[in-house]
Amino acid sequence: MSPNEVKHGVDESQGQLNTTASIAVQILNIESRLSNELNRLLFSPPVAYVYNPLNYAWETHSLFVSKFGNTKKQILFVGMNPGPWGMVQTGIPFGAARLVQDWLGIVGTVGHPPVEHPQRKVQGFQCPRTEVSGQRFWGFFRDICITPENMFKNCFVYSYCPLSFMHTSGRNITPPELKSSDRQAIMELCDSSLGEIISVLKVDIVIGIGKFAEYRVRETVKKHSLNVTIGCILHPSPINPSANKGWKEAVLKSMQEMNILHIVRGDQLHQCT
């Protein structure tokens, strides 16, 4: 199934979500619409390639949402955008292939973007490289939650922007590096969708993974007058020097300070109801 085929729960005449649809279907419809809107944008140099995993990895992405995003949550973790060896390959936020397959239990067919950089081809679950950010991120939750079911009792993970950008050299370009006009066009669309995701999941706490994501969360919450608590954890990227000096310990400390560790672990007395 492709993003364009996600029709359940959408009032086509009004362009609004049917809130009687399942939570997972509502999320997928929000993401499908966002994907289609972002596909219409054109980007200025130095962007030479744009990959949208919600197009070519929709099968695995929709499995992730259907399996883990079909109930309301207490906490939403928000990442920035797909990494070249993670979500770009698997369609799952921070989706290092082995952890997606072995811990999350998700496998499926992954296609290809229309135009690929010759040195950055999508290989799906056969990708030989490991996304360090994904290894750290999902490895952390595996260690403290033991099972994905424990984690997703109260939590969900969402990518603020589903697009990945590349230079002609194949170098990854992050959203903060985009030209101001391009960044503004993306933020307008992604802020709106993030606000909807927060509302659909009925979360109490939204945590940005890294400063960029935290800032977009704050702007979105302000713009949509949402009543949630906002937090931040260190981004696990190896490009971030602080993340290479004990990322797991830093995140554990942040969660203890926010008093959310028991919620993240899915402790029995703190399941979302």
Side-chain angles (χ1 to χ4, degrees):
M1 180 166 53
S2 71
N4 294 329
E5 293 173 309
V6 181
K7 301 297 183 185
H8 310 294
V10 175
D11 181 341
E12 301 260 346
S13 62
Q14 301 297 321
Q16 297 177 341
L17 288 170
N18 174 2
T19 54
T20 61
S22 75
I23 291 174
V25 166
Q26 291 181 64
I27 292 172
L28 290 170
N29 276 310
I30 293 166
E31 293 187 306
S32 174
R33 187 180 66 238
L34 174 63
S35 175
N36 290 333
E37 290 170 340
L38 290 171
N39 285 341
R40 299 187 188 106
L41 299 180
L42 298 176
F43 296 94
S44 311
V47 175
Y49 297 86
V50 181
Y51 289 13
N52 184 350
L54 295 190
N55 287 345
Y56 61 82
W58 182 254
E59 178 182 313
T60 48
H61 182 79
S62 59
L63 284 172
F64 171 74
V65 174
S66 299
K67 185 174 183 178
F68 298 121
N70 204 29
T71 56
K72 64 181 182 179
K73 310 293 184 182
Q74 285 182 266
I75 301 175
L76 178 65
F77 290 95
V78 180
M80 181 169 58
N81 76 312
W85 314 112
M87 187 171 176
V88 162
Q89 301 295 330
T90 64
I92 314 299
F94 293 97
R98 295 286 71 77
L99 277 167
V100 168
Q101 183 172 315
D102 298 341
W103 194 62
L104 296 180
I106 294 175
V107 292
T109 302
V110 176
H112 296 272
V115 181
E116 290 182 280
H117 189 285
Q119 296 177 336
R120 292 290 183 269
K121 290 187 179 294
V122 172
Q123 296 174 280
F125 288 87
Q126 274 62 57
C127 180
R129 292 191 58 166
T130 298
E131 175 94 335
V132 174
S133 295
Q135 191 74 30
R136 288 173 174 171
F137 184 80
W138 290 118
F140 172 83
F141 288 105
R142 178 195 58 201
D143 291 346
I144 69 165
C145 300
I146 311 303
T147 69
E149 288 74 22
N150 285 337
M151 177 196 173
F152 288 104
K153 282 175 185 173
N154 301 320
C155 305
F156 192 63
V157 182
Y158 176 75
S159 180
Y160 171 76
C161 175
L163 303 184
S164 175
F165 308 96
M166 289 177 220
H167 192 274
T168 51
S169 66
R171 179 181 66 83
N172 186 48
I173 298 173
T174 63
E177 297 176 278
L178 297 173
K179 287 197 173 179
S180 177
S181 57
D182 292 344
R183 191 167 62 250
Q184 191 59 44
I186 285 176
M187 292 188 304
E188 184 177 337
L189 296 173
C190 294
D191 284 0
S192 177
S193 293
L194 175 58
E196 290 185 80
I197 295 290
I198 292 170
S199 297
V200 165
L201 287 171
K202 302 185 186 302
V203 296
D204 302 312
I205 303 166
V206 186
I207 297 177
I209 304 166
K211 291 298 183 182
F212 176 86
E214 180 198 13
Y215 186 73
R216 294 322 315 159
V217 167
R218 291 191 182 280
E219 290 298 298
T220 297
V221 166
K222 186 191 306 181
K223 191 184 305 182
H224 295 271
S225 302
L226 299 169
N227 184 25
V228 297
T229 299
I230 300 169
C232 181
I233 60 172
L234 188 65
H235 196 285
S237 171
I239 296 175
N240 181 354
S242 298
N244 298 324
K245 301 174 183 177
W247 180 83
K248 179 180 178 179
E249 291 74 18
V251 172
L252 197 59
K253 181 181 178 183
S254 295
M255 289 186 178
Q256 289 168 336
E257 290 172 348
M258 289 186 275
N259 193 29
I260 63 169
L261 194 56
H262 58 287
I263 303 174
V264 172
R265 288 195 309 243
D267 290 357
Q268 191 66 27
L269 293 178
H270 296 279
Q271 293 183 30
C272 192
T273 57

